[in-house]
Amino acid sequence: MKFIRFDPKPCGFPKPRISPLPNTPLLPSPSAWLCRSIPRRASRNFRHFSRGRYALGEAYRLAGLNREGALLAPAYHCVTMLDPAMALEAEVHLYRLQADLSPDLDALEKLLASIEKPVKALLATHYFGIAKDFSRLKAFCVNREITLIEDCSHVLFTEHFRAAGTGSYGHFVVSSPYKFFACDDGGLLYTPEDHLLDRVKTVPATPVEELRGIKHAWERSRSARIMIGDISSIDLRLESLSACPVVPGNDEIEERSAPSALFSGALAHRESLRCSRLIVDQSSITDNMRRRRENYHRWLEAVTRISNCQTLFSDLPEHTAPYMFPLYIAHPDPHFYWLKHLGVPIWRWDEMADSNCRISQDYRLHLLHLPCHQALTSNQLEWMITALDKTLNRSSAKGFQ
Ligand SMILES: Cc1ncc(COP(=O)(O)O)c(C=O)c1O
């Protein structure tokens, strides 16, 4: 399979100044804690893994995916969504998406007709926590005996809570609790038909792994603070950045049939840490959701005033817990480069399997994933917004690319 990758090594980006994922647990008040501390019995409909990618791998395997079969996956993706299918040596076909990242059903129909191997599974993603209506997609899969795997990796979906409009379409549902809670790991596999999980074997983490997880969680919670002075120094920093030429990253093409380095066969059956599950179980969902929504709205309100960008989802539906704030920028060169050098925490899916989906090709370098998680402080958010505002308003001496 052909992958297109942006290698940032020559750019020399510093570490982000703010954690892209939650790094301090939001625990309930002591009285709420007392009411909740009775451990709840693990449901038979769930299996815990260390990451969503391994839960996905199990879902693919249960769907019958192997070297004789094919997976339909969205053209806009992170490589960890494809890795587990590649580990099974399955064929992967990418289906086109529309600008709001919903599947293009007409294109999907045509793609399916062109595939020779039996298509065993289709992966459908609720990007950034915004629930999509997959009812037509579900009918499409049911009519063709394709297993629908609902990707809730960007959704607040735990054993005891599922965000509205999600988790009810898939034969299997997969989520990544570590993206929503300040824990070291977590990947969840759910199916309404619990007997399907009877033969899923997982192994518990060792005590050393548990201790390492606690150490990581503690280290992450100690990230540096953003001070008022940091906001006023953005101008100066941008001045010196824009006076120097942008050092381009390497745009690479890689042909490979094996999973990426982000997939480890050794971790495929390892359960998530007990301390991670405890953090998820004891965290306040209401506060998590409220803070994420407030932060998302702060981003929304800010970007209406900022030029050269627009969000993908300007409407945050009620009861939605956003994962990150998706922002389309008009000029990644030089803006992405400057923002990264300022230390703004940005994720971007700039390594992707090649497809004929125009939207995904465009989003690969233009769509930024910005944090809106519950552990952000007001200063951190203000610093990110100011950095974005000042950067996107500036052009380099040679103009935009
Ligand atoms: C939409 C989506 N699905 C699945 C995955 C895999 O999840 P995990 O990181 O838990 O392995 C990711 C990873 O970022 C993702 O963004």
Side-chain angles (χ1 to χ4, degrees):
M1 212 170 178
K2 185 166 126 191
F3 285 82
I4 313 212
R5 186 171 61 187
F6 172 84
D7 169 18
K9 247 184 246 112
C11 309
F13 295 141
K15 267 177 66 179
R17 298 197 53 186
I18 295 167
S19 173
L21 293 179
N23 55 340
T24 26
L26 269 190
L27 297 174
S29 62
S31 56
W33 180 286
L34 280 175
C35 306
R36 301 165 59 113
S37 58
I38 304 153
R40 286 172 269 196
R41 202 144 51 91
S43 158
R44 289 173 49 81
N45 300 76
F46 289 89
R47 287 292 181 279
H48 291 268
F49 294 85
S50 60
R51 285 277 186 271
R53 67 202 74 169
Y54 305 117
L56 267 181
E58 203 51 43
Y60 291 159
R61 194 183 64 79
L62 292 168
L65 198 62
N66 56 28
R67 66 170 65 165
E68 314 300 337
L71 167 75
L72 286 168
Y76 186 68
H77 56 266
C78 133
V79 289
T80 56
M81 294 153 74
L82 311 188
D83 280 340
M86 298 181 82
L88 292 167
E89 298 178 56
E91 216 171 77
V92 177
H93 295 269
L94 301 175
Y95 63 84
R96 279 198 224 162
L97 300 168
Q98 315 196 68
D100 70 349
L101 294 175
S102 55
D104 177 337
L105 289 179
D106 294 335
L108 185 60
E109 191 95 50
K110 287 192 194 119
L111 174 65
L112 185 66
S114 71
I115 301 173
E116 285 174 11
K117 287 194 175 178
V119 173
K120 294 290 182 183
L122 184 147
L123 181 67
T125 303
H126 299 283
Y127 294 92
F128 302 104
I130 312 293
K132 284 273 179 285
D133 179 353
F134 287 142
S135 40
R136 281 183 65 204
L137 197 63
K138 183 174 181 174
F140 174 94
C141 290
V142 169
N143 292 338
R144 293 162 181 82
E145 296 185 7
I146 297 173
T147 301
L148 176 62
I149 298 170
E150 191 177 341
D151 182 358
C152 288
S153 181
H154 289 185
V155 169
L156 187 46
F157 184 97
T158 74
E159 250 190 283
H160 309 289
F161 179 85
R162 60 177 87 157
T166 67
S168 58
Y169 300 102
H171 296 99
F172 295 101
V173 179
V174 163
S175 75
S176 305
Y178 79 96
K179 294 191 173 98
F180 278 83
F181 300 90
C183 49
D184 203 41
D185 71 354
L188 208 53
L189 172 64
Y190 162 79
T191 174
E193 297 172 68
D194 59 1
H195 66 92
L196 295 177
L197 300 181
D198 283 350
R199 283 186 292 134
V200 174
K201 294 274 171 285
T202 51
V203 283
T206 62
V208 172
E209 287 169 325
E210 292 285 350
L211 285 174
R212 208 179 294 135
I214 294 170
K215 181 170 167 273
H216 288 163
W218 182 74
E219 283 167 355
R220 267 201 316 273
S221 70
R222 288 163 35 93
S223 64
R225 298 219 169 134
I226 294 285
M227 304 298 186
I228 296 297
D230 291 313
I231 297 179
S232 47
S233 64
I234 291 174
D235 278 324
L236 216 57
R237 185 80 190 95
L238 267 177
E239 199 66 48
S240 69
L241 274 173
S242 54
C244 304
V246 167
V247 180
N250 296 326
D251 254 322
E252 296 174 347
I253 293 183
E254 186 187 44
E255 197 67 53
R256 63 176 165 82
S257 53
S260 76
L262 298 172
F263 187 88
S264 155
L267 284 177
H269 299 284
R270 227 230 29 222
E271 287 172 11
S272 55
L273 303 170
R274 288 178 195 84
C275 60
S276 297
R277 279 184 260 163
L278 190 74
I279 288 174
V280 172
D281 278 353
Q282 297 299 332
S283 296
S284 163
I285 296 276
T286 324
D287 288 350
N288 188 323
M289 201 159 173
R290 179 179 51 74
R291 290 215 200 174
R292 280 174 181 270
R293 290 181 62 83
E294 282 169 7
N295 293 341
Y296 193 98
H297 278 125
R298 251 184 97 181
W299 274 119
L300 267 185
E301 192 264 325
V303 300
T304 53
R305 294 179 274 109
I306 303 178
S307 50
N308 295 317
C309 68
Q310 68 186 70
T311 181
L312 229 51
F313 304 115
S314 54
D315 181 34
L316 187 61
E318 225 186 323
H319 308 303
T320 293
Y323 160 54
M324 280 201 174
F325 183 70
L327 188 72
Y328 183 95
I329 58 167
H331 310 291
D333 180 13
H335 291 155
F336 175 73
Y337 180 85
W338 289 342
L339 286 167
K340 289 288 284 184
H341 268 286
L342 287 174
V344 177
I346 299 174
W347 280 358
R348 189 173 76 161
W349 287 347
D350 44 31
E351 177 176 354
M352 248 189 239
D354 193 21
S355 74
N356 63 4
C357 172
R358 288 266 183 84
I359 296 289
S360 308
Q361 288 166 357
D362 186 34
Y363 286 2
R364 187 175 76 85
L365 296 181
H366 289 257
L367 190 64
L368 310 185
H369 310 183
L370 296 162
C372 64
H373 61 75
Q374 70 277 14
L376 291 175
T377 64
S378 188
N379 272 356
Q380 288 176 328
L381 205 52
E382 195 179 329
W383 177 80
M384 287 190 286
I385 288 171
T386 312
L388 189 82
D389 187 11
K390 290 183 182 291
T391 305
L392 266 55
N393 265 319
R394 185 178 281 261
S395 64
S396 61
K398 63 183 171 67
F400 294 125
Q401 297 272 297

